[in-house]
Amino acid sequence: GMLKAVDNEDELAGIIGHEIGHNVFGHMPKTVTRQLFWMKGITKIKTATEAETALDALLEAYRKNQFSAFGESLLGFSRTDELQADKAGFYNMYKAGYNPEYLKSYFKRDVSRSKEDLGEDYDSMQFLIFLLGSHPPAEQRLTALKWESNWIKMPPKTEQNKNGSFEAMKKRVSKM
């Protein structure tokens, strides 16, 4: 789905840079550790077998309680992780020679789509997403990226990488 959503290679570089940020900052292991502690009271794991048993217990706890992830959303850890990964994606793509303007354009399109889909309900839905969503609202993410643009020499807004391989991939994905 993500490959269909990006319009150009620079946007794809921003998304991949964002995911690399999650990995570098260890967001997933930190989240699982928090959840093991909160939901199961597990504070130490010494062996691979203990880790497997603990993860099985955590999955079972999620199956029994459909609202268990709700607490994590309310506390905002995942939203903070997303903003941190956005910032990493912005700088990762910049350092790799891609134009960070296109990560911003990706979020601008997301805001436009949401406004079009939700119409008059857009503002109230954004408030709910801000309070309860696992990801920050796209407008908040866009504002954070605009702030980061102040600290580097940004390339011209229209400058982008053009690659025949990317265009071929987009054609293949569009047929799926």
Side-chain angles (χ1 to χ4, degrees):
M2 185 58 64
L3 292 175
K4 287 182 180 179
V6 296
D7 281 351
N8 56 59
E9 189 175 347
D10 292 77
E11 286 182 5
L12 180 59
I15 301 301
I16 291 171
H18 167 96
E19 297 305 327
I20 290 169
H22 279 307
N23 189 42
V24 167
F25 292 117
H27 291 155
M28 184 55 70
K30 288 175 187 174
T31 298
V32 170
T33 301
R34 242 186 345 264
Q35 292 169 347
L36 282 171
F37 176 74
W38 288 343
M39 293 180 69
K40 299 303 298 173
I42 297 170
T43 57
K44 286 189 179 183
I45 296 173
K46 296 178 183 171
T47 67
T49 303
E50 285 181 6
E52 192 172 326
T53 302
L55 289 172
D56 287 342
L58 181 60
L59 286 173
E60 185 60 30
Y62 270 108
R63 282 189 204 102
K64 288 180 180 176
N65 182 352
Q66 295 180 354
F67 297 103
S68 50
F70 187 64
E72 185 93 3
S73 291
L74 280 179
L75 291 171
F77 289 120
S78 59
R79 290 187 302 269
T80 302
D81 289 351
E82 289 302 323
L83 290 171
Q84 189 178 38
D86 286 348
K87 183 176 178 179
F90 180 89
Y91 286 106
N92 284 338
M93 70 186 297
Y94 179 74
K95 290 176 189 175
Y98 291 96
N99 189 342
E101 285 293 338
Y102 287 96
L103 185 55
K104 294 189 306 187
S105 73
Y106 177 83
F107 286 117
K108 285 177 189 174
R109 269 198 328 280
D110 190 35
V111 169
S112 294
R113 275 192 300 261
S114 293
K115 285 181 177 180
E116 187 177 308
D117 292 346
L118 297 169
E120 293 178 11
D121 296 331
Y122 176 79
D123 290 332
S124 57
M125 287 303 295
Q126 291 306 297
F127 181 70
L128 288 175
I129 289 170
F130 181 76
L131 287 179
L132 306 173
S134 62
H135 287 63
E139 285 192 58
Q140 181 184 9
R141 298 172 87 174
L142 181 56
T143 299
L145 293 175
K146 285 178 181 176
W147 174 255
E148 293 305 323
S149 298
N150 291 314
W151 309 113
I152 62 171
K153 182 174 176 16
M154 291 291 289
K157 288 187 177 193
T158 57
E159 184 180 301
Q160 71 176 251
N161 288 281
K162 300 238 185 237
N163 185 319
S165 298
F166 177 83
E167 298 305 321
M169 179 274 306
K170 282 295 283 183
K171 284 181 184 173
R172 285 192 307 273
V173 168
S174 70
K175 294 175 185 176
M176 296 176 139

